[in-house]
Amino acid sequence: MQEIKRRSQKERSDTMRAALVAAGRDLFIRNGFAATGTPDIVAAAGVTRGALYHHFQDKTDLFAAVVEAEAEAIAAEIDASGSIGLTPRETLIQGGEAFLAAMRSPGRARLMLVEAPAVLGVDRLARIDAATGGRTLELALQEVGIEAPGPLAALLSAAYDRAALAIDLGQPPGPWRAALNHLVRGAIR
Amino acid sequence: MQEIKRRSQKERSDTMRAALVAAGRDLFIRNGFAATGTPDIVAAAGVTRGALYHHFQDKTDLFAAVVEAEAEAIAAEIDASGSIGLTPRETLIQGGEAFLAAMRSPGRARLMLVEAPAVLGVDRLARIDAATGGRTLELALQEVGIEAPGPLAALLSAAYDRAALAIDLGQPPGPWRAALNHLVRGAIR
DNA sequence: TTGCATACATACATCCTGTATGTTAATTAC
DNA sequence: GTAATTAACATACAGGATGTATGTATGCAA
């Protein structure tokens, strides 16, 4: 009868881990990493700090899990809006639009583009979104015939990041989209 | 005889403040903001925490002072290398090169481009380097006839930031400079 | 020189982090 | 089916950091 007591270990563990990640995501987005204490997180999840330190090595490790989950969510949203049968340069522009759309989830830009590099380090974060879907831009540039697409992809990605941040901070998206289009079209000639 | 005791209040205060900023800069660059404690800073400066909290409201306030000083130093270096009598687009490229050169001071890129936005917030940091010399890029774009130079300047600035970071992380500068040239020339047609 | 303000040093309270230990429930071994 | 083991947490503890409150000495002004 009591299905609460009948949960398997793995199921219990998975839901708890997910609850901690969800609570952490919420608070990290609202207050940032430094201003969010582990007591706040576990209180929001309705547990104690023992649960947190059982599932994660430390607070940074939980944050990394939040960032990874967020990166996967972003990649999934972008993939979902990926229209097929476009020219390479159309794919480029459309992928950028999809990125901006995915980044309009409130606070997501600050979490992924400001907090994450500072907390996890630039290289570690780069590895995370390389593991999810960060190389699509590079491949698209290669399609349109750029010789060394790596650095240029990183630069354009940085430009998109900056635009997403500005929009997340409340600025109107129109001028940023226009400037991005200008930049991309100039880059692929 | 004892010139130490003969210092005026203002002189004493100024040197102390400068010493704290210098010690803070050194440690923030080496270990980052979060991993640097106020005991470390005052120990490096040879004083106690009382001095720090007399001159600054809190640890973040000291960090802001460090960032401001660094922004001024960067602006001064860029201004010093500013050749006159160039065409607007030459000025654009040359200014970018000067920025990259200024950013090769070890750890400076991470401090200003990763830590500072996270600790101070993007908007506050934007105000700081707008107060120093952050609008030169925007003016240069206006010179070459860009209609709305604001967003485009921000995007190109973000690209330069990304390149500076990559170079600071140890990557060879050549490909990044090439990609930046490609991007800028495409943007100004 | 007397009084006050400035420039620090010292002492203290609070909070947070990470770890060590304890407890309960689920899984495995026999 | 029961004992033993392990996983999943909760509780308790130690260390350190931050910010503030208080104390002290020196410069400065009347």
Side-chain angles (χ1 to χ4, degrees), chain B:
Chain B
M1 292 297 156
Q2 313 224 355
E3 41 204 319
I4 294 177
K5 305 187 73 174
R6 290 240 171 232
R7 288 192 306 179
S8 78
Q9 296 263 60
K10 172 171 171 47
E11 187 180 358
R12 187 159 94 115
S13 184
D14 287 353
T15 56
M16 172 60 77
R17 196 188 138 96
L20 288 170
V21 169
R25 191 209 109 103
D26 181 39
L27 289 168
F28 287 145
I29 281 194
R30 281 228 299 271
N31 307 328
F33 177 79
T36 300
T38 52
D40 307 338
I41 299 171
V42 297
V47 290
T48 67
R49 295 175 60 247
L52 196 160
Y53 282 91
H54 175 73
H55 285 278
F56 303 96
Q57 282 199 335
D58 51 18
K59 188 182 152 187
T60 302
D61 192 33
L62 167 64
F63 183 79
V66 169
V67 168
E68 284 186 39
E70 202 70 12
E72 289 171 9
I74 293 169
E77 290 183 32
I78 294 178
D79 286 356
S81 80
S83 314
I84 48 180
L86 295 175
T87 71
R89 54 184 43 174
E90 282 171 343
T91 304
L92 214 50
I93 297 292
Q94 200 274 340
E97 292 288 338
F99 172 79
L100 289 184
M103 276 303 182
R104 300 197 65 160
S105 174
R108 182 178 266 180
R110 206 192 71 174
L111 175 73
M112 299 297 285
L113 308 178
V114 178
E115 297 265 286
V119 174
L120 302 178
V122 177
D123 45 355
R124 186 172 172 190
L125 178 64
R127 249 175 275 135
I128 287 179
D129 39 76
T132 57
R135 291 176 55 92
T136 47
L137 177 56
E138 189 175 343
L139 296 176
L141 286 180
Q142 207 165 13
E143 287 289 317
V144 299
I146 303 290
E147 311 88 60
L152 187 60
L155 297 187
L156 286 176
S157 176
Y160 273 100
D161 289 355
R162 181 86 149 208
L165 248 173
I167 295 170
D168 188 42
L169 257 59
Q171 300 190 23
W176 293 100
R177 291 178 50 196
L180 282 171
N181 276 348
H182 181 85
L183 199 65
V184 171
R185 294 191 188 281
I188 65 180
R189 189 68 58 90

Side-chain angles (χ1 to χ4, degrees), chain A residues 30-76:
Chain A
R30 281 227 299 272
N31 307 328
F33 178 79
T36 300
T38 51
D40 307 338
I41 299 171
V42 297
V47 290
T48 67
R49 295 175 60 247
L52 197 160
Y53 282 90
H54 175 74
H55 285 278
F56 303 95
Q57 282 199 335
D58 50 18
K59 188 182 153 189
T60 302
D61 192 33
L62 167 63
F63 183 80
V66 169
V67 168
E68 284 186 38
E70 203 70 11
E72 288 172 10
I74 293 169

